[in-house]
mmCIF file with all atom_site columns, all heavy atoms in Angstrom:
data_model
loop_
_atom_site.group_PDB
_atom_site.id
_atom_site.type_symbol
_atom_site.label_atom_id
_atom_site.label_alt_id
_atom_site.label_comp_id
_atom_site.label_asym_id
_atom_site.label_entity_id
_atom_site.label_seq_id
_atom_site.pdbx_PDB_ins_code
_atom_site.Cartn_x
_atom_site.Cartn_y
_atom_site.Cartn_z
_atom_site.occupancy
_atom_site.B_iso_or_equiv
_atom_site.pdbx_formal_charge
_atom_site.auth_seq_id
_atom_site.auth_comp_id
_atom_site.auth_asym_id
_atom_site.auth_atom_id
_atom_site.pdbx_PDB_model_num
ATOM 1   N N   . PHE A 1 144 ? 73.296 -6.350  -15.210 1.00 98.00 ? 144 PHE A N   1
ATOM 2   C CA  . PHE A 1 144 ? 73.799 -6.585  -13.855 1.00 98.00 ? 144 PHE A CA  1
ATOM 3   C C   . PHE A 1 144 ? 73.224 -7.869  -13.252 1.00 98.00 ? 144 PHE A C   1
ATOM 4   O O   . PHE A 1 144 ? 73.886 -8.462  -12.378 1.00 98.00 ? 144 PHE A O   1
ATOM 5   C CB  . PHE A 1 144 ? 73.500 -5.337  -12.955 1.00 98.00 ? 144 PHE A CB  1
ATOM 6   C CG  . PHE A 1 144 ? 74.561 -4.302  -13.096 1.00 98.00 ? 144 PHE A CG  1
ATOM 7   C CD1 . PHE A 1 144 ? 74.564 -3.377  -14.103 1.00 98.00 ? 144 PHE A CD1 1
ATOM 8   C CD2 . PHE A 1 144 ? 75.664 -4.272  -12.254 1.00 98.00 ? 144 PHE A CD2 1
ATOM 9   C CE1 . PHE A 1 144 ? 75.568 -2.475  -14.284 1.00 98.00 ? 144 PHE A CE1 1
ATOM 10  C CE2 . PHE A 1 144 ? 76.665 -3.403  -12.352 1.00 98.00 ? 144 PHE A CE2 1
ATOM 11  C CZ  . PHE A 1 144 ? 76.602 -2.439  -13.436 1.00 98.00 ? 144 PHE A CZ  1
ATOM 12  N N   . LEU A 1 145 ? 72.083 -8.298  -13.667 1.00 98.00 ? 145 LEU A N   1
ATOM 13  C CA  . LEU A 1 145 ? 71.611 -9.637  -13.254 1.00 98.00 ? 145 LEU A CA  1
ATOM 14  C C   . LEU A 1 145 ? 72.535 -10.709 -13.878 1.00 98.00 ? 145 LEU A C   1
ATOM 15  O O   . LEU A 1 145 ? 72.915 -11.663 -13.230 1.00 98.00 ? 145 LEU A O   1
ATOM 16  C CB  . LEU A 1 145 ? 70.177 -9.843  -13.672 1.00 98.00 ? 145 LEU A CB  1
ATOM 17  C CG  . LEU A 1 145 ? 69.106 -9.086  -12.880 1.00 98.00 ? 145 LEU A CG  1
ATOM 18  C CD1 . LEU A 1 145 ? 67.731 -9.242  -13.553 1.00 98.00 ? 145 LEU A CD1 1
ATOM 19  C CD2 . LEU A 1 145 ? 69.057 -9.672  -11.497 1.00 98.00 ? 145 LEU A CD2 1
ATOM 20  N N   . ALA A 1 146 ? 72.908 -10.618 -15.151 1.00 98.00 ? 146 ALA A N   1
ATOM 21  C CA  . ALA A 1 146 ? 73.772 -11.513 -15.821 1.00 98.00 ? 146 ALA A CA  1
ATOM 22  C C   . ALA A 1 146 ? 75.142 -11.494 -15.075 1.00 98.00 ? 146 ALA A C   1
ATOM 23  O O   . ALA A 1 146 ? 75.744 -12.617 -14.880 1.00 98.00 ? 146 ALA A O   1
ATOM 24  C CB  . ALA A 1 146 ? 73.988 -11.196 -17.287 1.00 98.00 ? 146 ALA A CB  1
ATOM 25  N N   . LEU A 1 147 ? 75.694 -10.404 -14.720 1.00 98.00 ? 147 LEU A N   1
ATOM 26  C CA  . LEU A 1 147 ? 76.898 -10.281 -13.900 1.00 98.00 ? 147 LEU A CA  1
ATOM 27  C C   . LEU A 1 147 ? 76.749 -10.991 -12.648 1.00 98.00 ? 147 LEU A C   1
ATOM 28  O O   . LEU A 1 147 ? 77.660 -11.730 -12.159 1.00 98.00 ? 147 LEU A O   1
ATOM 29  C CB  . LEU A 1 147 ? 77.319 -8.812  -13.682 1.00 98.00 ? 147 LEU A CB  1
ATOM 30  C CG  . LEU A 1 147 ? 77.873 -8.047  -14.945 1.00 98.00 ? 147 LEU A CG  1
ATOM 31  C CD1 . LEU A 1 147 ? 77.861 -6.582  -14.606 1.00 98.00 ? 147 LEU A CD1 1
ATOM 32  C CD2 . LEU A 1 147 ? 79.252 -8.558  -15.338 1.00 98.00 ? 147 LEU A CD2 1
ATOM 33  N N   . THR A 1 148 ? 75.639 -10.822 -11.991 1.00 98.00 ? 148 THR A N   1
ATOM 34  C CA  . THR A 1 148 ? 75.300 -11.438 -10.690 1.00 98.00 ? 148 THR A CA  1
ATOM 35  C C   . THR A 1 148 ? 75.406 -12.964 -10.811 1.00 98.00 ? 148 THR A C   1
ATOM 36  O O   . THR A 1 148 ? 75.905 -13.656 -9.906  1.00 98.00 ? 148 THR A O   1
ATOM 37  C CB  . THR A 1 148 ? 73.968 -11.018 -10.144 1.00 98.00 ? 148 THR A CB  1
ATOM 38  O OG1 . THR A 1 148 ? 74.010 -9.629  -9.901  1.00 98.00 ? 148 THR A OG1 1
ATOM 39  C CG2 . THR A 1 148 ? 73.585 -11.756 -8.908  1.00 98.00 ? 148 THR A CG2 1
ATOM 40  N N   . PHE A 1 149 ? 74.857 -13.469 -11.929 1.00 98.00 ? 149 PHE A N   1
ATOM 41  C CA  . PHE A 1 149 ? 74.741 -14.931 -12.077 1.00 98.00 ? 149 PHE A CA  1
ATOM 42  C C   . PHE A 1 149 ? 75.910 -15.580 -12.830 1.00 98.00 ? 149 PHE A C   1
ATOM 43  O O   . PHE A 1 149 ? 75.841 -16.646 -13.294 1.00 98.00 ? 149 PHE A O   1
ATOM 44  C CB  . PHE A 1 149 ? 73.412 -15.268 -12.869 1.00 98.00 ? 149 PHE A CB  1
ATOM 45  C CG  . PHE A 1 149 ? 72.169 -14.833 -12.107 1.00 98.00 ? 149 PHE A CG  1
ATOM 46  C CD1 . PHE A 1 149 ? 71.113 -14.283 -12.711 1.00 98.00 ? 149 PHE A CD1 1
ATOM 47  C CD2 . PHE A 1 149 ? 72.140 -15.125 -10.759 1.00 98.00 ? 149 PHE A CD2 1
ATOM 48  C CE1 . PHE A 1 149 ? 69.950 -13.896 -12.031 1.00 98.00 ? 149 PHE A CE1 1
ATOM 49  C CE2 . PHE A 1 149 ? 70.972 -14.709 -10.050 1.00 98.00 ? 149 PHE A CE2 1
ATOM 50  C CZ  . PHE A 1 149 ? 69.902 -14.091 -10.708 1.00 98.00 ? 149 PHE A CZ  1
ATOM 51  N N   . GLY A 1 150 ? 77.093 -14.816 -12.924 1.00 98.00 ? 150 GLY A N   1
ATOM 52  C CA  . GLY A 1 150 ? 78.255 -15.422 -13.393 1.00 98.00 ? 150 GLY A CA  1
ATOM 53  C C   . GLY A 1 150 ? 78.648 -15.163 -14.871 1.00 98.00 ? 150 GLY A C   1
ATOM 54  O O   . GLY A 1 150 ? 79.234 -16.058 -15.536 1.00 98.00 ? 150 GLY A O   1
ATOM 55  N N   . LEU A 1 151 ? 78.315 -13.915 -15.351 1.00 98.00 ? 151 LEU A N   1
ATOM 56  C CA  . LEU A 1 151 ? 78.629 -13.639 -16.754 1.00 98.00 ? 151 LEU A CA  1
ATOM 57  C C   . LEU A 1 151 ? 80.096 -13.912 -17.089 1.00 98.00 ? 151 LEU A C   1
ATOM 58  O O   . LEU A 1 151 ? 80.406 -14.403 -18.174 1.00 98.00 ? 151 LEU A O   1
ATOM 59  C CB  . LEU A 1 151 ? 78.234 -12.218 -17.041 1.00 98.00 ? 151 LEU A CB  1
ATOM 60  C CG  . LEU A 1 151 ? 78.372 -11.732 -18.443 1.00 98.00 ? 151 LEU A CG  1
ATOM 61  C CD1 . LEU A 1 151 ? 77.342 -12.436 -19.432 1.00 98.00 ? 151 LEU A CD1 1
ATOM 62  C CD2 . LEU A 1 151 ? 78.187 -10.197 -18.605 1.00 98.00 ? 151 LEU A CD2 1
ATOM 63  N N   . ALA A 1 152 ? 80.992 -13.543 -16.167 1.00 98.00 ? 152 ALA A N   1
ATOM 64  C CA  . ALA A 1 152 ? 82.446 -13.690 -16.386 1.00 98.00 ? 152 ALA A CA  1
ATOM 65  C C   . ALA A 1 152 ? 82.856 -15.136 -16.512 1.00 98.00 ? 152 ALA A C   1
ATOM 66  O O   . ALA A 1 152 ? 83.903 -15.392 -17.086 1.00 98.00 ? 152 ALA A O   1
ATOM 67  C CB  . ALA A 1 152 ? 83.242 -12.987 -15.305 1.00 98.00 ? 152 ALA A CB  1
ATOM 68  N N   . ASP A 1 153 ? 82.120 -16.006 -16.027 1.00 98.00 ? 153 ASP A N   1
ATOM 69  C CA  . ASP A 1 153 ? 82.535 -17.481 -16.015 1.00 98.00 ? 153 ASP A CA  1
ATOM 70  C C   . ASP A 1 153 ? 81.775 -18.259 -17.053 1.00 98.00 ? 153 ASP A C   1
ATOM 71  O O   . ASP A 1 153 ? 82.439 -19.127 -17.734 1.00 98.00 ? 153 ASP A O   1
ATOM 72  C CB  . ASP A 1 153 ? 82.232 -18.081 -14.617 1.00 98.00 ? 153 ASP A CB  1
ATOM 73  C CG  . ASP A 1 153 ? 82.991 -17.449 -13.480 1.00 98.00 ? 153 ASP A CG  1
ATOM 74  O OD1 . ASP A 1 153 ? 84.177 -17.153 -13.677 1.00 98.00 ? 153 ASP A OD1 1
ATOM 75  O OD2 . ASP A 1 153 ? 82.373 -17.193 -12.456 1.00 98.00 ? 153 ASP A OD2 1
ATOM 76  N N   . ASP A 1 154 ? 80.522 -17.984 -17.341 1.00 98.00 ? 154 ASP A N   1
ATOM 77  C CA  . ASP A 1 154 ? 79.729 -18.792 -18.253 1.00 98.00 ? 154 ASP A CA  1
ATOM 78  C C   . ASP A 1 154 ? 78.642 -17.878 -18.785 1.00 98.00 ? 154 ASP A C   1
ATOM 79  O O   . ASP A 1 154 ? 77.482 -17.922 -18.232 1.00 98.00 ? 154 ASP A O   1
ATOM 80  C CB  . ASP A 1 154 ? 79.094 -20.009 -17.511 1.00 98.00 ? 154 ASP A CB  1
ATOM 81  C CG  . ASP A 1 154 ? 78.410 -20.938 -18.504 1.00 98.00 ? 154 ASP A CG  1
ATOM 82  O OD1 . ASP A 1 154 ? 78.148 -20.556 -19.633 1.00 98.00 ? 154 ASP A OD1 1
ATOM 83  O OD2 . ASP A 1 154 ? 78.153 -22.068 -18.112 1.00 98.00 ? 154 ASP A OD2 1
ATOM 84  N N   . PRO A 1 155 ? 78.912 -17.089 -19.823 1.00 98.00 ? 155 PRO A N   1
ATOM 85  C CA  . PRO A 1 155 ? 77.941 -16.068 -20.294 1.00 98.00 ? 155 PRO A CA  1
ATOM 86  C C   . PRO A 1 155 ? 76.557 -16.768 -20.645 1.00 98.00 ? 155 PRO A C   1
ATOM 87  O O   . PRO A 1 155 ? 75.518 -16.183 -20.282 1.00 98.00 ? 155 PRO A O   1
ATOM 88  C CB  . PRO A 1 155 ? 78.650 -15.414 -21.482 1.00 98.00 ? 155 PRO A CB  1
ATOM 89  C CG  . PRO A 1 155 ? 80.056 -15.558 -21.141 1.00 98.00 ? 155 PRO A CG  1
ATOM 90  C CD  . PRO A 1 155 ? 80.204 -16.836 -20.466 1.00 98.00 ? 155 PRO A CD  1
ATOM 91  N N   . PRO A 1 156 ? 76.515 -17.836 -21.461 1.00 98.00 ? 156 PRO A N   1
ATOM 92  C CA  . PRO A 1 156 ? 75.138 -18.320 -21.799 1.00 98.00 ? 156 PRO A CA  1
ATOM 93  C C   . PRO A 1 156 ? 74.332 -18.767 -20.616 1.00 98.00 ? 156 PRO A C   1
ATOM 94  O O   . PRO A 1 156 ? 73.161 -18.453 -20.565 1.00 98.00 ? 156 PRO A O   1
ATOM 95  C CB  . PRO A 1 156 ? 75.518 -19.564 -22.690 1.00 98.00 ? 156 PRO A CB  1
ATOM 96  C CG  . PRO A 1 156 ? 76.789 -19.231 -23.280 1.00 98.00 ? 156 PRO A CG  1
ATOM 97  C CD  . PRO A 1 156 ? 77.565 -18.563 -22.194 1.00 98.00 ? 156 PRO A CD  1
ATOM 98  N N   . SER A 1 157 ? 74.984 -19.389 -19.575 1.00 98.00 ? 157 SER A N   1
ATOM 99  C CA  . SER A 1 157 ? 74.209 -19.796 -18.382 1.00 98.00 ? 157 SER A CA  1
ATOM 100 C C   . SER A 1 157 ? 73.813 -18.554 -17.609 1.00 98.00 ? 157 SER A C   1
ATOM 101 O O   . SER A 1 157 ? 72.758 -18.497 -17.095 1.00 98.00 ? 157 SER A O   1
ATOM 102 C CB  . SER A 1 157 ? 75.109 -20.704 -17.547 1.00 98.00 ? 157 SER A CB  1
ATOM 103 O OG  . SER A 1 157 ? 74.442 -21.017 -16.355 1.00 98.00 ? 157 SER A OG  1
ATOM 104 N N   . ALA A 1 158 ? 74.646 -17.536 -17.530 1.00 98.00 ? 158 ALA A N   1
ATOM 105 C CA  . ALA A 1 158 ? 74.351 -16.359 -16.714 1.00 98.00 ? 158 ALA A CA  1
ATOM 106 C C   . ALA A 1 158 ? 73.145 -15.612 -17.365 1.00 98.00 ? 158 ALA A C   1
ATOM 107 O O   . ALA A 1 158 ? 72.278 -15.133 -16.650 1.00 98.00 ? 158 ALA A O   1
ATOM 108 C CB  . ALA A 1 158 ? 75.578 -15.460 -16.640 1.00 98.00 ? 158 ALA A CB  1
ATOM 109 N N   . VAL A 1 159 ? 73.182 -15.506 -18.656 1.00 98.00 ? 159 VAL A N   1
ATOM 110 C CA  . VAL A 1 159 ? 72.075 -14.750 -19.342 1.00 98.00 ? 159 VAL A CA  1
ATOM 111 C C   . VAL A 1 159 ? 70.820 -15.558 -19.247 1.00 98.00 ? 159 VAL A C   1
ATOM 112 O O   . VAL A 1 159 ? 69.739 -15.044 -19.052 1.00 98.00 ? 159 VAL A O   1
ATOM 113 C CB  . VAL A 1 159 ? 72.446 -14.403 -20.785 1.00 98.00 ? 159 VAL A CB  1
ATOM 114 C CG1 . VAL A 1 159 ? 71.287 -13.765 -21.539 1.00 98.00 ? 159 VAL A CG1 1
ATOM 115 C CG2 . VAL A 1 159 ? 73.665 -13.446 -20.858 1.00 98.00 ? 159 VAL A CG2 1
#
Side-chain angles (χ1 to χ4, degrees):
F144 276 82
L145 285 172
L147 288 166
T148 296
F149 297 137
L151 184 67
D153 300 318
D154 187 346
S157 177
V159 176

